[in-house]
Amino acid sequence: MFRRERSIPLRGSAAALCNNLSVLQLPGRNLTHFGVVHGPSAQLLSAAPEGVPLAQRQLQAKEGAGVSPPLITQVHWCVLPFRVLLVLTSHRGIQMYESDGSVMVYWHALDAGDASLVQAVFARGIASSGHFICVGMWSGRVLVFDIPAKGPNIVLSEELAGHQTPVTDIATEPAQGQDCVADMVTADDSGLLCVWQSGPEFKLLTRIPGFGVPCPSVQLWQGTIAAGYGNGQVRLYEASTGTLHVQIDAHARAICALDLAPELLSAAEDTFVHIWKLSRSPEGGYIEVEHCHGECVPDTQVCGARFCDPAGSSFAVTGYDLAEILRFSSM
């Protein structure tokens, strides 16, 4: 069971965007960082375990070419083997900062040359794999950036072509050492999932077709893909083969966020956050799912939810028109 803890105040509401909450825990300093997007700015907050806000920083989207101020689509901390970078995506480009947001180390402007006049141009979907950071695009491409151990010499090393519609989310997990390991999955607005093997050259292993609804959020768990869809379903697939293991009618409305640590957290526009225990049966190796907890956030369009620690003993939730980050911890 979880109980409500002290909320963390925001300067403004979270924008109505899926995956609109990023969390970075710094165990050595007993601090948790939160990142939330609102319009052309991103709010970064640091909080002590009891929820006392200690510092706030506001980042603005780099203007780039264009008349109107650019809207930020996502903020996400990427934990690399040797450094942590904060990545911010917008309708103009991709910004990478040192983890506290103090110094911008890289800027990649979006090229709208291949977009039609009626097509929105944006980047969305951020994840790290090894020393690479991957960012999804409106065109369906995924940009792969090679990150040095320090300094700003970041290089666009590859562009992955697997999607025909805008990328929504990207998930990775550390490779387990097997050959041909599926350690990254990308999702798009059509519900298509592409499964990749990361490395010096990324390799497309399989495609899992959509079924007419978007897939706003994905996670990877021990070689299993957890995908949350616009119809409220969570589906679990074998990453290497695309085989469907489990289908959960988890929510009454579109799912807006999934997270893992080690339980699965799902949040949706139906005001509910659910926590599910995933396990493999010892006999046949089948995936088993058990519902552990459900939390209602009344009269709120939930748009982001994340565990706050690796053990999954606490989680945080953001909502549209809600000027605070709600926190819950296990009793």
Side-chain angles (χ1 to χ4, degrees):
M1 294 294 292
F2 288 77
R3 68 170 181 269
R4 177 90 174 264
E5 297 286 359
R6 175 175 176 169
S7 298
I8 300 172
L10 294 170
R11 289 180 181 171
S13 156
L17 300 167
C18 292
N19 305 307
N20 191 2
L21 175 63
S22 186
V23 175
L24 174 69
Q25 190 192 32
L26 298 176
R29 297 175 58 191
N30 212 17
L31 277 180
T32 305
H33 293 319
F34 300 89
V36 180
V37 171
H38 177 71
S41 65
Q43 294 181 63
L44 308 181
L45 305 98
S46 302
E50 60 273 12
V52 178
L54 301 177
Q56 289 199 25
R57 185 188 296 272
Q58 200 147 358
L59 299 179
Q60 301 295 323
K62 190 174 167 68
E63 290 291 337
V67 180
S68 57
L71 298 176
I72 296 176
T73 51
Q74 193 175 0
V75 61
H76 184 73
W77 276 282
C78 289
V79 180
L80 302 152
F82 33 75
R83 69 197 291 192
V84 178
L85 290 182
L86 177 71
V87 182
L88 188 152
T89 56
S90 73
H91 290 249
R92 296 278 196 276
I94 301 162
Q95 297 161 236
M96 298 188 189
Y97 293 83
E98 296 294 354
S99 62
D100 61 355
S102 58
V103 178
M104 186 167 75
V105 295
Y106 185 73
W107 156 252
H108 177 87
L110 299 186
D111 178 12
D114 56 351
S116 68
L117 292 175
V118 295
Q119 199 172 17
V121 175
F122 58 89
R124 178 180 63 191
I126 309 164
S128 59
S129 180
H131 57 90
F132 298 102
I133 288 179
C134 302
V135 181
M137 305 289 283
W138 86 97
S139 62
R141 290 174 297 144
V142 175
L143 305 187
V144 180
F145 298 93
D146 195 344
I147 312 296
K150 58 181 180 179
N153 297 322
I154 294 169
V155 177
L156 174 60
S157 62
E158 197 174 354
E159 294 190 19
L160 308 180
H163 298 274
Q164 302 298 317
T165 59
V167 174
T168 52
D169 197 20
I170 304 176
T172 59
E173 71 173 344
Q176 305 298 320
Q178 311 101 310
D179 290 336
C180 207
V181 65
D183 57 1
M184 184 172 90
V185 59
T186 54
D188 71 20
D189 270 344
S190 75
L192 172 72
L193 306 178
C194 289
V195 184
W196 308 83
Q197 178 185 5
S198 66
E201 290 188 2
F202 282 63
K203 180 183 177 184
L204 179 60
L205 300 180
T206 187
R207 281 186 175 92
I208 302 172
F211 50 96
V213 292
C215 178
S217 196
V218 286
Q219 289 290 332
L220 268 173
W221 173 78
Q222 298 178 16
T224 299
I225 298 167
Y229 290 94
N231 62 354
Q233 286 184 353
V234 175
R235 294 188 174 196
L236 305 180
Y237 299 93
E238 188 68 36
S240 56
T241 63
T243 304
L244 176 63
H245 280 301
V246 180
Q247 175 180 307
I248 312 166
D249 292 324
H251 293 272
R253 296 192 66 183
I255 288 176
C256 60
L258 295 180
D259 199 18
L260 277 168
E263 284 83 17
L264 174 68
L265 177 151
S266 65
E269 295 176 1
D270 61 359
T271 75
F272 276 92
V273 179
H274 291 299
I275 294 177
W276 315 84
K277 182 180 178 181
L278 306 181
S279 58
R280 287 187 185 270
S281 68
E283 297 83 21
Y286 299 110
I287 304 294
E288 297 178 343
V289 180
E290 176 187 351
H291 184 257
C292 297
H293 180 75
E295 192 73 48
C296 179
V297 185
D299 305 319
T300 301
Q301 182 181 333
V302 175
C303 50
R306 284 282 185 268
F307 285 114
C308 299
D309 60 279
S313 61
S314 59
F315 65 91
V317 180
T318 57
Y320 177 62
D321 214 17
L322 187 68
E324 58 185 352
I325 299 174
L326 306 180
R327 295 169 58 249
F328 301 86
S329 65
S330 56
M331 299 168 65

